[in-house]
Amino acid sequence: MRIGSVLRPVAAGALLATIAPALHAQARRPAVERQIDSILATMTLEEKLGQLNLLSVDRRASPQDLELVRQGRVGGFLNLHGAEAVREAQRVAIEESRLKIPLLLGLDVIHGYRTVFPIPLAEAGTWNPELAEAAARVAAREAAAAGVNWTFAPMVDLARDARWGRIAEGSGEDPYLGSVMAAARVRGFQGPGRDAPIGPDRLLATAKHFAAYGAAEAGRDYNTVDVSERTLREIYLPPFQAAVDAGVGSIMTAFNEIAGVPATGNAWLLKDVLRREWRFRGLVVSDWTSVGELVAHGVAGSRAEAGRLALQAGTDMDMVSRIYVDELAPLVRRGTVPLALVDSAVRRVLRVKFRLGLFRDPYRGVDPERERATLLAPEHRALAREAARQAIVLLKNEGGVLPLPAQGRTIAVIGPLAHDRLEPLGPWHTDGRREDVVTVLEGIRRRAASATVLHAGGAGVLDTATAGFAEAVETARRADVAVLVLGEKHDMSGEAASRAEIGLPGVQQQLLEAVAATGKPVVLLLMNGRPLALPWAAERVPAIVETWFLGTETGNAVADILFGDVSPSGKLPVSFPRAVGQAPIYYNHKNTGRPPSAERFTSKYLDVPVTPLWPFGHGLSYTTFAYSELEVSPARLGPRDTVRIRVRVRNTGSRDGTEVVQLYVRDEVATVTRPVRELKGFRRVPLAAGESAVVEFRLTRADLAFYGLDLRRRVEPGTFRVFVGPSSVEGLEGSFVVTP
Ligand code: NOJ
């Protein structure tokens, strides 16, 4: 280039003025971003779209899958796991593909990998975030040893409708409990920190399904969702935001639409809320074929249009549809889809690969020896047993049927789930194996070695025949007490597992009635992935124990509780309806203009009470707890004040136990209606028999904020009622006033 000598200094000065800040900025750019810049600079369009392509395999990559890796047409696989299979696929990626970019390897590690923990709903019932974090940490350690680097968990969808099978995978109905659990699980899977490196025994976590998947109409999976922005922000979004704040590396879009806009093509959700408001910098992945499903939703006329819509809305990676990789190149070349959009999506994929350390060690130290040594390690099983104990909820215990004496008695263990090895693993049990499971019968036999333990199946879970009843009834007659293990099969909850009836399936209700008719005391031990409507049992059966699906250590944990080695401490994370017709039912409902009363024209049913069979937060122990000395101070809360709520909790029984102390508030009058109660805090408090402790909570004004008429968060002056107690419908009551 010829530049005149007179002009030269001017031009150079001007040039310097423009490029100096840019150079400076470049130097300040984190090293990873600069590495990504240089990778992007060498990639073809096809290779870029390949990074956005996530495909499923059946444990191992087939020769065709590996060929795609060689060609740079795939960014990762799901369902590829096991040290050897993983080493093979990563080797092809880093040795035989042009760019040598390692693979993301995703899996639904939902409640454990080989050591199976209680299902997430059950684990939420521990109200123990430290335990949930530790469980996720173990799940990550095992899955990472099997070569997985990415989990599609935690599922943080809030659910108010027991018909929806996926209620099993989340933390229940409450946004506060759901948020605390979401953050704990993210920390457990990934380790702490927002953009911090994820070590070789951790996993990249995914908060899913963004958003409001749990609000599917009529509890039918994949169904339409139509919630107001206020409800979305107050109820369904907080656990996602908590996951983002805890540093979650990826978000999965939901299958459903929200008010006419499918989540996978929802720019408002993915860009305005997730990226702009919450400053999420991670990766957004679609759900399984949810990009392609934009066609069925009717918002795209072709696969290519579906791909354009999803990418433009902010879905970075296409799970299984193969649309980005197959359809987008011509659109980019034509200029219909900006290349910059593809580049940003690829950048996010590469960023998580860097965060996982895959460019340093694509194998993350995985080998068959480490895998063998890690899976099902004794300390993993011990933690699973502890989690299972804490997850069990004692729903009812009349006449002190429980705990059972472990000696000198005859115990009949009856029912289809008493000695089953598969069902206790629950939905999404990943690499969980039947042979590792301790059944309820085995747990009881081991613990009560000097008791006589009889067993009869009675009927299968879904049976319609009653041929086995006679034996079951006879077995109960020969015993002092009958433990009936009834409920659902593992695949009756989870994905595509909605039910329109939520009683005991098959002839189990009749089996229960037949055994109860013997007059022997009955302990009903439930195994299920959702709240069940059990009005008959609630009235007639003296002892009812909710075990959900407890995983590998089921029988041991059940025995620990049944024989009183540990007092039950679980509390329901979800309301139990009396009848399916009450769904959706949840404790934090609005008051309505006509709250139910004896008066006819009020909000209620003619045939069933409005209240749940067992409310959110409910759970008994073998001891009793008394609440006293509630103090709320100051009585008036100024702009910078914190209100302190203290209560004394005493173990008034003769056994040690743990109480989950719950704090709720109610905003009496506001410009928009507020729930009758909202959970604002909780504490697990272990108390020896006779012991008492003062429990303290603190709330700031920010904790009392809600979305006002303008959909901005605000606190309005006025009276707040406070409830501290053992469930969402009990407790001591106080109040304080928020001043202007
Ligand atoms: C579909 C489910 O909705 C999602 O939760 C899961 O992670 C993917 N399939 C992958 O298995």
Side-chain angles (χ1 to χ4, degrees):
M1 199 202 298
R2 284 171 166 241
I3 298 173
S5 57
V6 179
L7 288 176
R8 193 180 178 121
V10 180
L15 192 62
L16 207 64
T18 26
I19 64 166
L23 282 176
H24 192 60
Q26 182 65 13
R28 270 200 334 243
R29 252 166 100 67
V32 164
E33 298 301 318
R34 281 183 276 139
Q35 275 169 286
I36 295 175
D37 292 342
S38 48
I39 298 173
L40 273 170
T42 60
M43 292 175 94
T44 65
L45 176 57
E46 279 68 22
E47 284 165 335
K48 288 178 180 176
L49 294 171
Q51 283 303 305
L52 309 183
N53 185 27
L54 178 64
L55 294 180
S56 179
V57 303
D58 187 5
R59 269 198 105 120
R60 278 199 108 86
S62 67
Q64 294 86 324
D65 294 323
L66 291 176
E67 189 47 36
L68 290 175
V69 176
R70 253 175 230 114
Q71 294 167 7
R73 305 281 285 168
V74 61
F77 290 112
L78 66 151
N79 299 326
L80 195 162
H81 54 121
E84 278 179 39
V86 163
R87 287 194 72 91
E88 179 193 22
Q90 289 292 30
R91 190 195 57 75
V92 172
I94 59 154
E95 288 180 13
E96 297 179 19
S97 75
R98 190 178 79 87
L99 294 168
K100 311 194 180 326
I101 301 177
L103 296 161
L104 280 177
L105 297 170
L107 187 69
D108 291 283
V109 183
I110 307 295
H111 53 112
Y113 178 75
R114 176 72 181 269
T115 306
V116 178
F117 285 78
I119 55 168
L121 183 65
E123 203 180 72
T126 66
W127 298 56
N128 188 341
E130 289 79 25
L131 185 70
E133 179 174 341
R137 170 113 189 66
V138 165
R141 191 181 294 138
E142 289 197 354
V148 176
N149 52 40
W150 184 15
T151 175
F152 303 128
M155 192 275 224
V156 304
D157 291 308
L158 203 124
R160 297 169 149 185
D161 191 329
R163 291 172 293 184
W164 192 53
R166 306 205 75 169
I167 198 168
E169 298 173 52
S171 292
E173 72 187 39
D174 182 66
Y176 179 81
L177 179 61
S179 298
V180 170
M181 286 293 173
R185 289 182 175 135
V186 168
R187 285 192 304 270
F189 285 128
Q190 289 188 173
R194 226 177 137 131
D195 289 312
I198 297 170
D201 63 349
R202 304 271 194 170
L203 304 172
L204 177 74
T206 310
K208 71 186 188 184
H209 308 79
F210 198 55
Y213 185 32
E217 283 179 359
R220 181 155 61 88
D221 207 2
Y222 319 116
N223 205 8
T224 305
V225 169
D226 199 345
V227 289
S228 69
E229 188 177 336
R230 176 169 295 106
T231 300
L232 195 61
R233 286 186 180 275
E234 286 191 352
I235 303 295
Y236 293 98
L237 295 188
F240 286 97
Q241 192 170 5
V244 169
D245 290 344
V248 77
S250 71
I251 297 273
M252 187 187 293
T253 64
F255 286 121
N256 53 281
E257 67 162 78
I258 304 170
V261 186
T264 302
N266 197 320
W268 174 75
L269 261 185
L270 301 178
K271 290 188 165 160
D272 296 348
V273 176
L274 181 62
R275 295 211 183 275
R276 291 198 192 106
E277 283 182 36
W278 299 352
R279 308 200 171 284
F280 175 68
R281 277 168 39 86
L283 172 68
V284 174
V285 62
S286 81
D287 201 346
W288 183 284
T289 66
S290 71
V291 174
E293 289 166 29
L294 295 177
V295 173
H297 273 292
V299 294
S302 64
R303 281 168 54 80
E305 209 181 314
R308 181 187 59 76
L309 193 69
L311 187 72
Q312 284 186 332
T315 302
D316 300 315
M317 211 175 188
D318 170 8
M319 187 197 288
V320 178
S321 293
R322 293 180 189 243
I323 290 182
Y324 287 8
V325 75
D326 286 347
E327 311 275 347
L328 287 187
L331 273 67
V332 175
R333 294 217 161 86
R334 245 183 277 137
T336 318
V337 171
L339 181 62
L341 211 61
V342 175
D343 284 351
S344 337
V346 175
R347 178 176 294 282
R348 293 187 196 112
V349 173
L350 296 178
R351 210 182 263 154
V352 298
K353 290 184 175 181
F354 273 103
R355 194 173 170 195
L356 282 162
L358 289 173
F359 286 94
R360 232 178 311 108
D361 176 10
Y363 304 109
R364 304 174 90 224
V366 167
D367 62 52
E369 187 38 49
R370 171 177 156 204
E371 183 179 26
R372 259 191 306 278
T374 310
L375 304 191
L376 221 58
E379 64 273 23
H380 297 177
R381 291 195 75 135
L383 188 70
R385 181 170 180 167
E386 179 57 25
R389 283 176 185 141
Q390 293 190 22
I392 292 172
V393 183
L394 180 61
L395 294 172
K396 183 179 174 191
N397 189 20
E398 247 172 40
V401 175
L402 290 175
L404 300 175
Q407 283 152 4
R409 299 275 292 272
T410 303
I411 305 169
V413 185
I414 299 172
L417 296 163
H419 194 41
D420 188 287
R421 294 192 188 281
L422 173 64
E423 310 306 346
L425 292 172
W428 297 110
H429 52 255
T430 320
D431 202 37
R433 314 243 170 117
R434 307 167 190 239
E435 63 263 30
D436 304 334
V437 171
V438 182
T439 69
V440 170
L441 180 65
E442 285 168 341
I444 291 177
R445 285 211 161 120
R446 276 185 204 171
R447 175 61 184 83
S450 59
T452 307
V453 179
L454 311 173
H455 169 58
V461 171
L462 294 169
D463 276 3
T464 48
T466 56
F469 280 24
E471 189 204 358
V473 167
E474 188 42 40
T475 307
R477 282 216 179 94
R478 286 166 45 213
D480 299 305
V481 59
V483 177
L484 262 119
V485 194
L486 306 179
E488 299 181 312
K489 290 171 83 69
H490 74 281
D491 56 0
M492 294 178 73
S493 56
E495 191 180 350
S498 295
R499 293 181 64 199
E501 300 289 353
I502 53 171
L504 290 166
V507 290
Q508 294 182 84
Q509 177 67 31
Q510 290 99 298
L511 176 63
L512 173 63
E513 292 179 23
V515 172
T518 61
K520 298 287 176 170
V522 168
V523 177
L524 171 59
L525 206 94
L526 295 166
M527 233 182 243
N528 43 282
R530 57 160 59 74
L532 298 176
L534 302 166
W536 188 91
E539 204 177 310
R540 310 287 186 85
V541 176
I544 307 180
V545 182
E546 178 55 82
T547 75
W548 311 105
F549 293 115
L550 295 175
T552 312
E553 287 290 325
T554 294
N556 288 332
V558 163
D560 291 338
I561 295 286
L562 285 185
F563 296 100
D565 301 327
V566 177
S567 286
S569 61
K571 298 271 188 176
L572 292 180
V574 69
S575 307
F576 269 53
R578 296 168 190 276
V580 70
Q582 289 180 307
I585 183 167
Y586 45 94
Y587 84 94
N588 48 357
H589 60 84
K590 302 296 184 69
N591 199 39
T592 81
R594 294 190 177 196
S597 72
E599 172 63 36
R600 164 117 201 210
F601 294 95
T602 58
S603 180
K604 60 186 182 183
Y605 302 104
L606 291 177
D607 48 356
V608 173
V610 285
T611 53
L613 195 53
W614 290 293
F616 175 84
H618 169 75
L620 306 171
S621 185
Y622 293 151
T623 186
T624 45
F625 299 98
Y627 287 69
S628 63
E629 300 165 39
L630 177 68
E631 272 173 41
V632 181
S633 74
R636 299 176 68 77
L637 190 67
R640 256 167 286 284
D641 292 343
T642 296
V643 59
R644 208 181 59 178
I645 297 142
R646 304 175 105 206
V647 73
R648 181 172 295 280
V649 184
R650 183 180 299 280
N651 181 340
T652 48
S654 53
R655 285 171 176 270
D656 300 350
T658 296
E659 171 70 324
V660 178
V661 179
Q662 301 161 42
L663 166 71
Y664 298 87
V665 302
R666 175 171 181 170
D667 187 345
E668 289 268 82
V669 179
T671 45
V672 296
T673 62
R674 305 299 307 142
V676 295
R677 275 195 186 198
E678 287 177 90
L679 184 70
K680 291 290 175 188
F682 59 84
R683 286 259 206 297
R684 279 181 67 87
V685 187
L687 290 172
E691 194 190 355
S692 82
V694 172
V695 180
E696 181 175 307
F697 298 96
R698 283 164 190 263
L699 295 177
T700 64
R701 284 169 83 107
D703 296 320
L704 304 169
F706 62 91
Y707 288 87
L709 278 174
D710 56 359
L711 286 175
R712 287 180 189 281
R713 275 181 81 73
R714 66 183 64 250
V715 186
E716 292 176 357
T719 304
F720 284 75
R721 279 157 72 187
V722 174
F723 311 85
V724 186
S727 80
S728 60
V729 296
E730 300 159 89
L732 300 178
E733 210 183 310
S735 68
F736 61 88
V737 172
V738 167
T739 60

